Amino acid sequence: MPRLRLQVRGVVQGVGFRPFVYRLAHRFSLTGWVRNRPEGVEIEIQGETGRISAFRAALENERPAAAHLISIETELLSDGQERSFSILDSALGSEVRPSVPPDLAVCLECEREIADPGDRRYRYPFTNCTHCGPRYSLIAGLPYDRSRTGMAGFPLCEKCRREYEDPLNRRFHAEPVACPECGPHLRLVIDGRVGSEGDTALREAAHLLDHGRILALQGLGGFQLLVDATSEAAVQRLRQRKHREEKPFAVMFRDLGEIRSVCEISPKEAELLTSPAAPILLLQRKAGELVPSVAPENPRLGVLLPYTPLHRLLLDQVQHPLVCTSGNISEEPMAITETEALEQLGSIADAFLVHDRPILRPVDDSVVRMDSDGPTLFRRARGYAPLAHPVKWEGPPILALGSHQKSTVTLVKEGEAVVSQHLGDLQSLAGVRLLERTVEDLLAFLGATPGLLACDAHPDYASTRLAERLAARFDLPLLRVQHHHAHVGAVMAEHGLEGPVLGLAWDGSGWGSDGTVWGGEALVVEGSQFQRLGHLRTFALPGGDRAVKDPRRCAAGLLWEVQGSLDGISDCLELQERYLVERALERGLQAPRTSSIGRLFDAVSALLGLRLEAGFEGQAAMALEFQAQESCDLGAYPFELKDGVADFSPMLEALLQDRRRGLPVGDMARRYHQGLAELVVAWARMAGHSQVVLCGGCFQNRLLTSLCRQRLETEGFQVVRATKFPSNDGGISLGQAWVALVSAKLKSLGNY
Ligand SMILES: [Zn+2]
Ligand SMILES: [Zn+2]
Ligand SMILES: [Zn+2]
């Protein structure tokens, strides 16, 4: 009888892969064994040839949804002695390469159990199995077993133990397994006192939601704030209390059918929503289905499905969609303990639905949009982090500290890059503490001691200062990577490129090598070096940081640059304000110069009367995109390229003329987008490299990206962009790590 050895690599531990193999072997009457190895799972099977091929096919086709296979190597062996198939103890390697699975959305089988009155887990909100449940948010350390998870304090009852030890059971070695007898329980806290417990607590919480109350829910990776999405008054109250005037909220629906009644949804989008990652997905809205304040003036809606049994039970109970937003105040990290939640959310929530299963680290909901050329990640956290990304690297571990907003940390270790979950902004002390904790956490988790550090070139970022402290403490070299270089590097890391490429890195701002604020960059990147081929012509931002929240100031800076006056701005800037802005521009005081295309978007948005003030970052640019996508091709506004510098004055002149002629705003917005696409082509021709990287927050704009792609591909260029990591500053740490890696590689080859 033939015998085969299979070496399976990928995310195959902690996702029910060995029991799956065991069941397959039984189905096809094969003998042999399966065991975990440091690099994956090893299988030996023996039996009739036809059965072996059937097993081999089923291994890939029927694998657990959360398993990610990278490769399967096979080898023919001589006969073995076993009479049956068994699961062996893990093979001990010299060094185990740990693999940490992300948190997994509740599976269909567990959902069936909690809905079945005859099942012992009926209505139990902490039901899980090897295919689903908490992982990264619950694991304290590796190797992954129950004693090193938040479930350490819950000894298994007899029934759960039997399931846990039975290789044919889908709870075989499901570390967080629990039942009503031995697992965690719910409590409803109102006014600091425990009201009810268990299922009663859940029913009462649902009742409060039905009456328009705001509920703080201890979810999977942190607290969330929930409110009835069909009640305008309730949503308004949440906005007031959270001081979040306009930024869109995500909505959790009971099922795909409910989502379909509100949004357009493609099969691919449906597949992603129901996958183990179960992110918040941005969909195109249908007209007039939800209350306006859920996502004001936004044609898209962030939707998600219940991804834990707790959410499932709650949604089934309330019978209406729920606004579902992170439980934090302003830009601070999410609360993960009951104490934190009561302290931070006490003035927002009317009640707290909490439990005693600890959350070990904050893991926020991920935010994704499906575009025709792949996914666009806005926030990478639950369901994605900390999935490792393969990179070619054998040297000492590299730690990169990331940016200042949408912060992440990246650790590169032996052939893989691990990017942390989204940590948020570092403006607050709590944000900086979370960054420090995540660095320690990641190093301990992966058993790594860094040999090289990387950070942003900005001297005042909290991440830069932490990098400096770490470099001093451990006596390590520190590489400062220019912000936009890192943006390009992130995409090169994702696609394994070393260049030369032309990278268009467009965003709000980043510290430039010449001390000015960059943000509309055309960089040629090769190896660990970059050359600034070109950039947007600079203009002054009166009031500096104030301009970020005030697109009118961006418009003023732009007009001043071109015509030396504020003519044409009258309808959007009040008289007194105008006087102050004019003085600032005249004297050049408190008016830093920038080449930022993010700010150019703000300026154009204000000039077209779309957004005079921005309630949140990117709002003005989004308004411009939404207007433009309603319009069709009317020809591009011209930018003039002189020695690589893109002059916006012809664009501005044409736009002001169109405005005087009373052209519809959508048409002008469209012409502006097309102008940028032509500019990209002009830079690509100038650089003459076949690969063009589109990166930075501006390329989260779907219309801009697709127009650039169309034009570049027509001209014979290959477009590369981020699809696994965010294009915004969430990807910066990966880009820094990539630049450090390439530079260290070249150094060791003596080329640096
Ligand atoms: Zn399950
Ligand atoms: Zn139990
Ligand atoms: Zn950036």
Side-chain angles (χ1 to χ4, degrees), residues 106-107 109-110 128-132 170-171:
V106 58
C107 73
E109 283 152 306
C110 285
N128 67 80
C129 72
T130 45
H131 303 148
C132 75
R170 77 172 208 287
R171 298 207 160 87

Side-chain angles (χ1 to χ4, degrees), residues 61 96 105 138 165 190 198 204 245 247 260 293 310 313-314 365 427 430 452 491 635 660 673 693 703 710 721:
N61 299 335
V96 176
L138 190 75
E165 286 171 353
I190 302 174
E204 282 182 17
E245 278 88 36
K247 201 170 175 186
R260 271 198 195 94
S293 56
L310 176 55
L313 292 166
L314 205 56
D365 292 326
Q427 259 100 308
L452 175 59
V491 179
R660 280 192 297 272
H673 276 80
V693 170
L703 178 67
Q710 277 166 27
R721 72 172 188 99

Side-chain angles (χ1 to χ4, degrees), residues 294-317:
V294 165
E297 291 171 42
N298 200 317
R300 296 188 189 128
L301 181 69
V303 306
L304 74 168
L305 289 170
Y307 55 84
T308 70
L310 176 55
H311 289 96
R312 163 57 61 209
L313 292 166
L314 205 56
L315 265 286
D316 282 348
Q317 196 75 34

